[in-house]
Amino acid sequence: MDKLYGRNKEEHPEPIKAEVQGQLPTWLQGILLRNGPGMHTIGDSKYNHWFDGLALLHSFTFKNGEVYYRSKYLQSDTYNCNIEANRIVVSEFGTMAYPDPCKNIFAKAFSYLSHTIPEFTDNCLINIMKVGDDFYATGETNFIRKINSQTLETLEKVDYHKYVAVNLATSHPHYDSAGNVLNMGTSIVEKGKTKYVLFKIPSSVPEQEKKKSYFKHLEVVCSIPSRSLLHPSYYHSFGITENYIIFIEQPFRLDIVKMATAYIRGVSWASCLAYHKDDKTWFHFIDRKTKKEVSTKFYTDALVFFHHINAYEEDGHIVFDIIAYTDNSLYDMFYLKNLTKDFEESTKLTSIPTCKRFVVPLQYDKDAEVDSNLVTLPSNATAVKEKDGNIYCQPEILCEGIELPRINYDYNGKKYKYVFATEVKWSPVPTKIAKLNTQTKEMLHWGEDDCWPSEPIFVPSPDAKEEDDGVVLTCVVKTEPKDPPFLLILDAKTFTELGRAIINVGMHMDLHGMFIPQQNVKTETE
């Protein structure tokens, strides 16, 4: 296990031709670009947590039936500081570094509360985001890094905080039909308030400013006050429908006072995150046109979740699907001390990831009786009116044991059928990938012995008539390091293998990414 998770991976910045087996569709042209941690040891120092490792970008380029692989470390300021010092000198969420010659953190730590938010890392290791014609590596701090999608070179650093008052931002933005980016971030104790901010980055800028930044035209859509000034909710993603934004305020919260003193106390920021299992989980719905929150209060029991799958509107209801847990054991599993060779046998999640569908009646009979279920769609999900006017929601279970969900993004915010995901069961390590039909609850699977697949990415075929017309791409790492890893290409409809591209170099376990169709790939001269 430590061979797969803890070991530093070599980068391969020059393209390596893969050995293609099987038959790839001729229309599959473009770049699969992915991101994840690749280096966990620098000199004699080691990161505590797998999610702290230095970002290693990698890509598979499809060109006329041939496939080329390359990988390159993100040349972040964090990476450069660490490599130069030959040890970890920039703190990550699960690893506090001392002393930090890159910044004078003591001056920050002892100053007034509104300045105690630490100077965060630009080690953007989680996902890839498209802004206009550009691509960015993203993490969950206020920094993102522009990259060249073909060469994987690192370009300029962007600080969201210069354009919008957020200290943290998600790595799972949404894109509207015009290509604008919608994202959310948390603004901590800014002017005495802590709030969740929804903002939009335009997909184009006025012609005369071509050299200017898309970010200069960033606009705040709205903000949602945190229920607690000093304990904002952690969130990794949010939901969207045609007319609404869905934000879930879960009782998995950051303690700002603890974060402010973490450095002095010698603990990581991750230790300042706590799950409050007796609290409620609140649902917020923002009308995209009026930018106002729906006034009715909807809630469910305590849960921890990272990934929204999809959401849509139907007959006055909002239907949304998430993957939820009953505790926060998932994060703790990925401390490197737990990722030992007998990890698969010895380490079990205490909460299995569960695909939950909530059905929320936005339009309901205001004279409905207390304790009555307001859901009128055919569903096992309920929404019960309480005495105080709040509405208590209980989900329908679609399936268990899947994570890293993806959909056909053309169906984002619309009624849909299919989820593509990794299968994880009781161990957080994916051993298969699955296709779930949310309407029939039937599942298709792909798996092979000693194979660990990554998040599956759906790519629609150019002449797609149905939601699952296309292919699914997943990077597969073998448990035995001497066995070569490969990119698997499945027919999305039947979930049968079309082909694989085998590479004879080490490949890391990654997190998220995207497929960039050939027409969206900028040539070097542009």
Side-chain angles (χ1 to χ4, degrees), residues 289-321:
K289 293 190 182 69
T290 65
K291 303 177 183 179
K292 297 272 187 291
E293 189 176 342
V294 171
S295 58
T296 310
K297 296 278 181 275
F298 298 94
Y299 75 94
T300 190
D301 301 318
L303 56 78
V304 171
F305 88 104
F306 299 92
H307 295 115
H308 274 266
I309 303 172
N310 200 4
Y312 60 90
E313 296 160 43
E314 187 174 7
D315 296 337
H317 299 70
I318 286 181
V319 179
F320 66 88
D321 300 339

PDB file of all heavy atoms in Angstrom, residues 289-321:
ATOM      1  N   LYS A 289     -31.936  33.563 -10.216  1.00  0.00           N
ATOM      2  CA  LYS A 289     -32.371  34.827 -10.839  1.00  0.00           C
ATOM      3  C   LYS A 289     -32.439  35.967  -9.821  1.00  0.00           C
ATOM      4  O   LYS A 289     -31.883  37.029 -10.022  1.00  0.00           O
ATOM      5  CB  LYS A 289     -33.728  34.636 -11.529  1.00  0.00           C
ATOM      6  CG  LYS A 289     -33.655  33.697 -12.736  1.00  0.00           C
ATOM      7  CD  LYS A 289     -34.941  33.698 -13.557  1.00  0.00           C
ATOM      8  CE  LYS A 289     -34.842  32.706 -14.710  1.00  0.00           C
ATOM      9  NZ  LYS A 289     -34.820  31.290 -14.237  1.00  0.00           N
ATOM     10  N   THR A 290     -33.112  35.718  -8.694  1.00  0.00           N
ATOM     11  CA  THR A 290     -33.262  36.794  -7.695  1.00  0.00           C
ATOM     12  C   THR A 290     -32.040  36.900  -6.781  1.00  0.00           C
ATOM     13  O   THR A 290     -31.858  37.902  -6.101  1.00  0.00           O
ATOM     14  CB  THR A 290     -34.494  36.540  -6.803  1.00  0.00           C
ATOM     15  OG1 THR A 290     -34.255  35.339  -6.040  1.00  0.00           O
ATOM     16  CG2 THR A 290     -35.763  36.365  -7.626  1.00  0.00           C
ATOM     17  N   LYS A 291     -31.203  35.826  -6.739  1.00  0.00           N
ATOM     18  CA  LYS A 291     -30.014  35.749  -5.877  1.00  0.00           C
ATOM     19  C   LYS A 291     -30.391  35.753  -4.393  1.00  0.00           C
ATOM     20  O   LYS A 291     -29.589  36.094  -3.529  1.00  0.00           O
ATOM     21  CB  LYS A 291     -29.023  36.873  -6.196  1.00  0.00           C
ATOM     22  CG  LYS A 291     -28.591  36.846  -7.651  1.00  0.00           C
ATOM     23  CD  LYS A 291     -27.673  37.972  -8.027  1.00  0.00           C
ATOM     24  CE  LYS A 291     -27.359  37.884  -9.517  1.00  0.00           C
ATOM     25  NZ  LYS A 291     -26.511  38.935  -9.995  1.00  0.00           N
ATOM     26  N   LYS A 292     -31.623  35.380  -4.123  1.00  0.00           N
ATOM     27  CA  LYS A 292     -32.104  35.334  -2.738  1.00  0.00           C
ATOM     28  C   LYS A 292     -32.283  33.873  -2.316  1.00  0.00           C
ATOM     29  O   LYS A 292     -32.598  33.014  -3.133  1.00  0.00           O
ATOM     30  CB  LYS A 292     -33.456  36.039  -2.615  1.00  0.00           C
ATOM     31  CG  LYS A 292     -33.412  37.536  -2.941  1.00  0.00           C
ATOM     32  CD  LYS A 292     -33.067  38.347  -1.700  1.00  0.00           C
ATOM     33  CE  LYS A 292     -33.172  39.841  -1.927  1.00  0.00           C
ATOM     34  NZ  LYS A 292     -32.158  40.394  -2.817  1.00  0.00           N
ATOM     35  N   GLU A 293     -32.107  33.643  -1.010  1.00  0.00           N
ATOM     36  CA  GLU A 293     -32.282  32.288  -0.492  1.00  0.00           C
ATOM     37  C   GLU A 293     -33.766  31.999  -0.262  1.00  0.00           C
ATOM     38  O   GLU A 293     -34.522  32.882   0.160  1.00  0.00           O
ATOM     39  CB  GLU A 293     -31.517  32.148   0.831  1.00  0.00           C
ATOM     40  CG  GLU A 293     -31.462  30.715   1.315  1.00  0.00           C
ATOM     41  CD  GLU A 293     -30.626  30.516   2.582  1.00  0.00           C
ATOM     42  OE1 GLU A 293     -29.802  31.378   2.932  1.00  0.00           O
ATOM     43  OE2 GLU A 293     -30.824  29.471   3.216  1.00  0.00           O
ATOM     44  N   VAL A 294     -34.168  30.765  -0.554  1.00  0.00           N
ATOM     45  CA  VAL A 294     -35.535  30.320  -0.251  1.00  0.00           C
ATOM     46  C   VAL A 294     -35.715  30.414   1.266  1.00  0.00           C
ATOM     47  O   VAL A 294     -34.853  29.961   2.021  1.00  0.00           O
ATOM     48  CB  VAL A 294     -35.732  28.858  -0.742  1.00  0.00           C
ATOM     49  CG1 VAL A 294     -37.056  28.296  -0.260  1.00  0.00           C
ATOM     50  CG2 VAL A 294     -35.624  28.797  -2.265  1.00  0.00           C
ATOM     51  N   SER A 295     -36.816  31.011   1.714  1.00  0.00           N
ATOM     52  CA  SER A 295     -36.940  31.319   3.148  1.00  0.00           C
ATOM     53  C   SER A 295     -37.265  30.107   4.015  1.00  0.00           C
ATOM     54  O   SER A 295     -36.884  30.058   5.178  1.00  0.00           O
ATOM     55  CB  SER A 295     -37.984  32.411   3.368  1.00  0.00           C
ATOM     56  OG  SER A 295     -39.224  31.975   2.823  1.00  0.00           O
ATOM     57  N   THR A 296     -37.942  29.097   3.465  1.00  0.00           N
ATOM     58  CA  THR A 296     -38.255  27.899   4.260  1.00  0.00           C
ATOM     59  C   THR A 296     -36.960  27.218   4.705  1.00  0.00           C
ATOM     60  O   THR A 296     -36.002  27.149   3.934  1.00  0.00           O
ATOM     61  CB  THR A 296     -39.078  26.900   3.416  1.00  0.00           C
ATOM     62  OG1 THR A 296     -40.169  27.603   2.836  1.00  0.00           O
ATOM     63  CG2 THR A 296     -39.596  25.760   4.262  1.00  0.00           C
ATOM     64  N   LYS A 297     -36.947  26.728   5.929  1.00  0.00           N
ATOM     65  CA  LYS A 297     -35.752  26.052   6.440  1.00  0.00           C
ATOM     66  C   LYS A 297     -35.909  24.537   6.273  1.00  0.00           C
ATOM     67  O   LYS A 297     -36.823  23.934   6.831  1.00  0.00           O
ATOM     68  CB  LYS A 297     -35.543  26.383   7.920  1.00  0.00           C
ATOM     69  CG  LYS A 297     -35.267  27.869   8.188  1.00  0.00           C
ATOM     70  CD  LYS A 297     -33.799  28.199   7.957  1.00  0.00           C
ATOM     71  CE  LYS A 297     -33.488  29.655   8.236  1.00  0.00           C
ATOM     72  NZ  LYS A 297     -33.761  30.535   7.086  1.00  0.00           N
ATOM     73  N   PHE A 298     -34.984  23.948   5.506  1.00  0.00           N
ATOM     74  CA  PHE A 298     -34.988  22.497   5.284  1.00  0.00           C
ATOM     75  C   PHE A 298     -33.746  21.907   5.945  1.00  0.00           C
ATOM     76  O   PHE A 298     -32.665  22.484   5.859  1.00  0.00           O
ATOM     77  CB  PHE A 298     -34.913  22.190   3.786  1.00  0.00           C
ATOM     78  CG  PHE A 298     -36.088  22.709   2.986  1.00  0.00           C
ATOM     79  CD1 PHE A 298     -36.033  23.953   2.355  1.00  0.00           C
ATOM     80  CD2 PHE A 298     -37.246  21.947   2.846  1.00  0.00           C
ATOM     81  CE1 PHE A 298     -37.105  24.422   1.608  1.00  0.00           C
ATOM     82  CE2 PHE A 298     -38.318  22.417   2.100  1.00  0.00           C
ATOM     83  CZ  PHE A 298     -38.257  23.654   1.473  1.00  0.00           C
ATOM     84  N   TYR A 299     -33.899  20.744   6.580  1.00  0.00           N
ATOM     85  CA  TYR A 299     -32.716  20.142   7.201  1.00  0.00           C
ATOM     86  C   TYR A 299     -32.834  18.616   7.192  1.00  0.00           C
ATOM     87  O   TYR A 299     -33.903  18.054   6.932  1.00  0.00           O
ATOM     88  CB  TYR A 299     -32.531  20.665   8.634  1.00  0.00           C
ATOM     89  CG  TYR A 299     -33.486  20.086   9.654  1.00  0.00           C
ATOM     90  CD1 TYR A 299     -33.127  18.985  10.424  1.00  0.00           C
ATOM     91  CD2 TYR A 299     -34.757  20.641   9.855  1.00  0.00           C
ATOM     92  CE1 TYR A 299     -33.998  18.439  11.359  1.00  0.00           C
ATOM     93  CE2 TYR A 299     -35.630  20.102  10.789  1.00  0.00           C
ATOM     94  CZ  TYR A 299     -35.253  19.000  11.533  1.00  0.00           C
ATOM     95  OH  TYR A 299     -36.106  18.457  12.448  1.00  0.00           O
ATOM     96  N   THR A 300     -31.710  17.971   7.491  1.00  0.00           N
ATOM     97  CA  THR A 300     -31.699  16.517   7.698  1.00  0.00           C
ATOM     98  C   THR A 300     -30.783  16.217   8.878  1.00  0.00           C
ATOM     99  O   THR A 300     -30.249  17.136   9.513  1.00  0.00           O
ATOM    100  CB  THR A 300     -31.274  15.767   6.418  1.00  0.00           C
ATOM    101  OG1 THR A 300     -31.513  14.362   6.613  1.00  0.00           O
ATOM    102  CG2 THR A 300     -29.795  15.977   6.080  1.00  0.00           C
ATOM    103  N   ASP A 301     -30.597  14.919   9.161  1.00  0.00           N
ATOM    104  CA  ASP A 301     -29.733  14.532  10.288  1.00  0.00           C
ATOM    105  C   ASP A 301     -28.273  14.838   9.961  1.00  0.00           C
ATOM    106  O   ASP A 301     -27.916  15.084   8.807  1.00  0.00           O
ATOM    107  CB  ASP A 301     -29.885  13.027  10.554  1.00  0.00           C
ATOM    108  CG  ASP A 301     -31.326  12.662  10.886  1.00  0.00           C
ATOM    109  OD1 ASP A 301     -31.959  13.421  11.637  1.00  0.00           O
ATOM    110  OD2 ASP A 301     -31.821  11.640  10.374  1.00  0.00           O
ATOM    111  N   ALA A 302     -27.436  14.762  10.995  1.00  0.00           N
ATOM    112  CA  ALA A 302     -26.004  15.006  10.812  1.00  0.00           C
ATOM    113  C   ALA A 302     -25.442  14.038   9.770  1.00  0.00           C
ATOM    114  O   ALA A 302     -25.783  12.859   9.761  1.00  0.00           O
ATOM    115  CB  ALA A 302     -25.275  14.822  12.129  1.00  0.00           C
ATOM    116  N   LEU A 303     -24.599  14.560   8.882  1.00  0.00           N
ATOM    117  CA  LEU A 303     -23.902  13.718   7.912  1.00  0.00           C
ATOM    118  C   LEU A 303     -22.609  14.411   7.517  1.00  0.00           C
ATOM    119  O   LEU A 303     -22.423  15.605   7.783  1.00  0.00           O
ATOM    120  CB  LEU A 303     -24.781  13.428   6.688  1.00  0.00           C
ATOM    121  CG  LEU A 303     -25.385  14.576   5.869  1.00  0.00           C
ATOM    122  CD1 LEU A 303     -24.375  15.232   4.932  1.00  0.00           C
ATOM    123  CD2 LEU A 303     -26.541  14.049   5.018  1.00  0.00           C
ATOM    124  N   VAL A 304     -21.717  13.643   6.909  1.00  0.00           N
ATOM    125  CA  VAL A 304     -20.493  14.198   6.316  1.00  0.00           C
ATOM    126  C   VAL A 304     -20.525  13.820   4.853  1.00  0.00           C
ATOM    127  O   VAL A 304     -20.801  12.669   4.509  1.00  0.00           O
ATOM    128  CB  VAL A 304     -19.222  13.606   6.963  1.00  0.00           C
ATOM    129  CG1 VAL A 304     -17.978  14.020   6.191  1.00  0.00           C
ATOM    130  CG2 VAL A 304     -19.088  14.057   8.417  1.00  0.00           C
ATOM    131  N   PHE A 305     -20.289  14.798   3.990  1.00  0.00           N
ATOM    132  CA  PHE A 305     -20.234  14.441   2.571  1.00  0.00           C
ATOM    133  C   PHE A 305     -19.181  15.302   1.888  1.00  0.00           C
ATOM    134  O   PHE A 305     -18.824  16.386   2.364  1.00  0.00           O
ATOM    135  CB  PHE A 305     -21.617  14.615   1.917  1.00  0.00           C
ATOM    136  CG  PHE A 305     -21.851  16.000   1.384  1.00  0.00           C
ATOM    137  CD1 PHE A 305     -21.784  16.263   0.031  1.00  0.00           C
ATOM    138  CD2 PHE A 305     -22.086  17.051   2.254  1.00  0.00           C
ATOM    139  CE1 PHE A 305     -21.949  17.546  -0.447  1.00  0.00           C
ATOM    140  CE2 PHE A 305     -22.254  18.341   1.785  1.00  0.00           C
ATOM    141  CZ  PHE A 305     -22.191  18.594   0.428  1.00  0.00           C
ATOM    142  N   PHE A 306     -18.674  14.800   0.776  1.00  0.00           N
ATOM    143  CA  PHE A 306     -17.693  15.529  -0.018  1.00  0.00           C
ATOM    144  C   PHE A 306     -18.257  15.844  -1.403  1.00  0.00           C
ATOM    145  O   PHE A 306     -18.065  16.937  -1.915  1.00  0.00           O
ATOM    146  CB  PHE A 306     -16.399  14.717  -0.149  1.00  0.00           C
ATOM    147  CG  PHE A 306     -15.753  14.450   1.182  1.00  0.00           C
ATOM    148  CD1 PHE A 306     -16.035  13.290   1.902  1.00  0.00           C
ATOM    149  CD2 PHE A 306     -14.889  15.378   1.750  1.00  0.00           C
ATOM    150  CE1 PHE A 306     -15.474  13.054   3.146  1.00  0.00           C
ATOM    151  CE2 PHE A 306     -14.317  15.151   3.000  1.00  0.00           C
ATOM    152  CZ  PHE A 306     -14.607  13.989   3.693  1.00  0.00           C
ATOM    153  N   HIS A 307     -18.961  14.886  -1.994  1.00  0.00           N
ATOM    154  CA  HIS A 307     -19.330  15.031  -3.403  1.00  0.00           C
ATOM    155  C   HIS A 307     -20.837  15.066  -3.667  1.00  0.00           C
ATOM    156  O   HIS A 307     -21.562  14.141  -3.324  1.00  0.00           O
ATOM    157  CB  HIS A 307     -18.695  13.897  -4.230  1.00  0.00           C
ATOM    158  CG  HIS A 307     -17.201  13.981  -4.230  1.00  0.00           C
ATOM    159  ND1 HIS A 307     -16.401  13.013  -3.652  1.00  0.00           N
ATOM    160  CD2 HIS A 307     -16.360  14.932  -4.708  1.00  0.00           C
ATOM    161  CE1 HIS A 307     -15.127  13.376  -3.783  1.00  0.00           C
ATOM    162  NE2 HIS A 307     -15.072  14.532  -4.413  1.00  0.00           N
ATOM    163  N   HIS A 308     -21.256  16.176  -4.289  1.00  0.00           N
ATOM    164  CA  HIS A 308     -22.568  16.219  -4.930  1.00  0.00           C
ATOM    165  C   HIS A 308     -22.446  15.402  -6.218  1.00  0.00           C
ATOM    166  O   HIS A 308     -21.395  15.414  -6.861  1.00  0.00           O
ATOM    167  CB  HIS A 308     -22.909  17.663  -5.338  1.00  0.00           C
ATOM    168  CG  HIS A 308     -23.548  18.462  -4.259  1.00  0.00           C
ATOM    169  ND1 HIS A 308     -24.910  18.573  -4.117  1.00  0.00           N
ATOM    170  CD2 HIS A 308     -23.011  19.219  -3.275  1.00  0.00           C
ATOM    171  CE1 HIS A 308     -25.192  19.363  -3.095  1.00  0.00           C
ATOM    172  NE2 HIS A 308     -24.057  19.759  -2.556  1.00  0.00           N
ATOM    173  N   ILE A 309     -23.519  14.727  -6.619  1.00  0.00           N
ATOM    174  CA  ILE A 309     -23.495  14.007  -7.895  1.00  0.00           C
ATOM    175  C   ILE A 309     -24.205  14.844  -8.958  1.00  0.00           C
ATOM    176  O   ILE A 309     -23.624  15.233  -9.951  1.00  0.00           O
ATOM    177  CB  ILE A 309     -24.168  12.619  -7.776  1.00  0.00           C
ATOM    178  CG1 ILE A 309     -23.482  11.785  -6.692  1.00  0.00           C
ATOM    179  CG2 ILE A 309     -24.113  11.893  -9.119  1.00  0.00           C
ATOM    180  CD1 ILE A 309     -24.196  10.486  -6.365  1.00  0.00           C
ATOM    181  N   ASN A 310     -25.485  15.133  -8.699  1.00  0.00           N
ATOM    182  CA  ASN A 310     -26.262  15.949  -9.636  1.00  0.00           C
ATOM    183  C   ASN A 310     -27.515  16.401  -8.911  1.00  0.00           C
ATOM    184  O   ASN A 310     -27.824  15.924  -7.809  1.00  0.00           O
ATOM    185  CB  ASN A 310     -26.609  15.142 -10.904  1.00  0.00           C
ATOM    186  CG  ASN A 310     -26.976  16.038 -12.078  1.00  0.00           C
ATOM    187  OD1 ASN A 310     -26.905  17.266 -11.996  1.00  0.00           O
ATOM    188  ND2 ASN A 310     -27.382  15.445 -13.179  1.00  0.00           N
ATOM    189  N   ALA A 311     -28.252  17.329  -9.544  1.00  0.00           N
ATOM    190  CA  ALA A 311     -29.495  17.844  -8.968  1.00  0.00           C
ATOM    191  C   ALA A 311     -30.375  18.313 -10.112  1.00  0.00           C
ATOM    192  O   ALA A 311     -29.875  18.679 -11.178  1.00  0.00           O
ATOM    193  CB  ALA A 311     -29.181  19.007  -8.034  1.00  0.00           C
ATOM    194  N   TYR A 312     -31.671  18.288  -9.890  1.00  0.00           N
ATOM    195  CA  TYR A 312     -32.597  18.793 -10.921  1.00  0.00           C
ATOM    196  C   TYR A 312     -33.918  19.184 -10.272  1.00  0.00           C
ATOM    197  O   TYR A 312     -34.159  18.893  -9.085  1.00  0.00           O
ATOM    198  CB  TYR A 312     -32.800  17.751 -12.036  1.00  0.00           C
ATOM    199  CG  TYR A 312     -33.370  16.427 -11.593  1.00  0.00           C
ATOM    200  CD1 TYR A 312     -34.745  16.203 -11.561  1.00  0.00           C
ATOM    201  CD2 TYR A 312     -32.528  15.374 -11.211  1.00  0.00           C
ATOM    202  CE1 TYR A 312     -35.269  14.985 -11.153  1.00  0.00           C
ATOM    203  CE2 TYR A 312     -33.039  14.151 -10.806  1.00  0.00           C
ATOM    204  CZ  TYR A 312     -34.421  13.962 -10.783  1.00  0.00           C
ATOM    205  OH  TYR A 312     -34.934  12.761 -10.379  1.00  0.00           O
ATOM    206  N   GLU A 313     -34.754  19.848 -11.048  1.00  0.00           N
ATOM    207  CA  GLU A 313     -36.070  20.277 -10.567  1.00  0.00           C
ATOM    208  C   GLU A 313     -37.143  19.428 -11.236  1.00  0.00           C
ATOM    209  O   GLU A 313     -37.027  19.100 -12.407  1.00  0.00           O
ATOM    210  CB  GLU A 313     -36.298  21.744 -10.925  1.00  0.00           C
ATOM    211  CG  GLU A 313     -35.329  22.689 -10.241  1.00  0.00           C
ATOM    212  CD  GLU A 313     -35.241  24.049 -10.950  1.00  0.00           C
ATOM    213  OE1 GLU A 313     -36.295  24.586 -11.339  1.00  0.00           O
ATOM    214  OE2 GLU A 313     -34.113  24.556 -11.111  1.00  0.00           O
ATOM    215  N   GLU A 314     -38.159  19.088 -10.447  1.00  0.00           N
ATOM    216  CA  GLU A 314     -39.275  18.321 -11.012  1.00  0.00           C
ATOM    217  C   GLU A 314     -40.551  18.622 -10.235  1.00  0.00           C
ATOM    218  O   GLU A 314     -40.606  18.396  -9.014  1.00  0.00           O
ATOM    219  CB  GLU A 314     -38.959  16.813 -10.964  1.00  0.00           C
ATOM    220  CG  GLU A 314     -39.990  15.985 -11.686  1.00  0.00           C
ATOM    221  CD  GLU A 314     -39.622  14.501 -11.773  1.00  0.00           C
ATOM    222  OE1 GLU A 314     -38.616  14.070 -11.165  1.00  0.00           O
ATOM    223  OE2 GLU A 314     -40.355  13.772 -12.462  1.00  0.00           O
ATOM    224  N   ASP A 315     -41.562  19.138 -10.927  1.00  0.00           N
ATOM    225  CA  ASP A 315     -42.888  19.392 -10.332  1.00  0.00           C
ATOM    226  C   ASP A 315     -42.810  20.098  -8.977  1.00  0.00           C
ATOM    227  O   ASP A 315     -43.369  19.630  -7.980  1.00  0.00           O
ATOM    228  CB  ASP A 315     -43.662  18.069 -10.153  1.00  0.00           C
ATOM    229  CG  ASP A 315     -43.967  17.419 -11.498  1.00  0.00           C
ATOM    230  OD1 ASP A 315     -43.981  18.144 -12.503  1.00  0.00           O
ATOM    231  OD2 ASP A 315     -44.162  16.188 -11.541  1.00  0.00           O
ATOM    232  N   GLY A 316     -42.102  21.218  -8.942  1.00  0.00           N
ATOM    233  CA  GLY A 316     -42.048  22.008  -7.709  1.00  0.00           C
ATOM    234  C   GLY A 316     -41.098  21.466  -6.651  1.00  0.00           C
ATOM    235  O   GLY A 316     -41.050  21.984  -5.533  1.00  0.00           O
ATOM    236  N   HIS A 317     -40.347  20.413  -6.980  1.00  0.00           N
ATOM    237  CA  HIS A 317     -39.364  19.846  -6.041  1.00  0.00           C
ATOM    238  C   HIS A 317     -37.953  20.060  -6.591  1.00  0.00           C
ATOM    239  O   HIS A 317     -37.758  20.128  -7.806  1.00  0.00           O
ATOM    240  CB  HIS A 317     -39.542  18.328  -5.882  1.00  0.00           C
ATOM    241  CG  HIS A 317     -40.872  17.907  -5.347  1.00  0.00           C
ATOM    242  ND1 HIS A 317     -42.039  18.014  -6.070  1.00  0.00           N
ATOM    243  CD2 HIS A 317     -41.211  17.340  -4.150  1.00  0.00           C
ATOM    244  CE1 HIS A 317     -43.050  17.545  -5.336  1.00  0.00           C
ATOM    245  NE2 HIS A 317     -42.572  17.116  -4.174  1.00  0.00           N
ATOM    246  N   ILE A 318     -36.986  20.085  -5.673  1.00  0.00           N
ATOM    247  CA  ILE A 318     -35.582  19.952  -6.057  1.00  0.00           C
ATOM    248  C   ILE A 318     -35.152  18.549  -5.632  1.00  0.00           C
ATOM    249  O   ILE A 318     -35.360  18.143  -4.478  1.00  0.00           O
ATOM    250  CB  ILE A 318     -34.690  21.007  -5.388  1.00  0.00           C
ATOM    251  CG1 ILE A 318     -34.915  22.371  -6.049  1.00  0.00           C
ATOM    252  CG2 ILE A 318     -33.217  20.610  -5.488  1.00  0.00           C
ATOM    253  CD1 ILE A 318     -34.061  23.476  -5.481  1.00  0.00           C
ATOM    254  N   VAL A 319     -34.596  17.810  -6.587  1.00  0.00           N
ATOM    255  CA  VAL A 319     -34.086  16.471  -6.309  1.00  0.00           C
ATOM    256  C   VAL A 319     -32.565  16.566  -6.376  1.00  0.00           C
ATOM    257  O   VAL A 319     -32.032  17.039  -7.372  1.00  0.00           O
ATOM    258  CB  VAL A 319     -34.601  15.464  -7.370  1.00  0.00           C
ATOM    259  CG1 VAL A 319     -34.058  14.065  -7.093  1.00  0.00           C
ATOM    260  CG2 VAL A 319     -36.131  15.463  -7.417  1.00  0.00           C
ATOM    261  N   PHE A 320     -31.872  16.169  -5.305  1.00  0.00           N
ATOM    262  CA  PHE A 320     -30.397  16.198  -5.400  1.00  0.00           C
ATOM    263  C   PHE A 320     -29.795  14.942  -4.791  1.00  0.00           C
ATOM    264  O   PHE A 320     -30.308  14.388  -3.818  1.00  0.00           O
ATOM    265  CB  PHE A 320     -29.801  17.480  -4.803  1.00  0.00           C
ATOM    266  CG  PHE A 320     -29.956  17.653  -3.323  1.00  0.00           C
ATOM    267  CD1 PHE A 320     -29.012  17.144  -2.438  1.00  0.00           C
ATOM    268  CD2 PHE A 320     -31.032  18.366  -2.799  1.00  0.00           C
ATOM    269  CE1 PHE A 320     -29.140  17.323  -1.074  1.00  0.00           C
ATOM    270  CE2 PHE A 320     -31.169  18.550  -1.429  1.00  0.00           C
ATOM    271  CZ  PHE A 320     -30.220  18.033  -0.565  1.00  0.00           C
ATOM    272  N   ASP A 321     -28.701  14.493  -5.411  1.00  0.00           N
ATOM    273  CA  ASP A 321     -28.024  13.253  -5.041  1.00  0.00           C
ATOM    274  C   ASP A 321     -26.623  13.576  -4.527  1.00  0.00           C
ATOM    275  O   ASP A 321     -25.884  14.323  -5.182  1.00  0.00           O
ATOM    276  CB  ASP A 321     -27.919  12.324  -6.254  1.00  0.00           C
ATOM    277  CG  ASP A 321     -29.290  11.958  -6.826  1.00  0.00           C
ATOM    278  OD1 ASP A 321     -30.284  12.070  -6.090  1.00  0.00           O
ATOM    279  OD2 ASP A 321     -29.358  11.571  -8.014  1.00  0.00           O
TER     280      ASP A 321
END
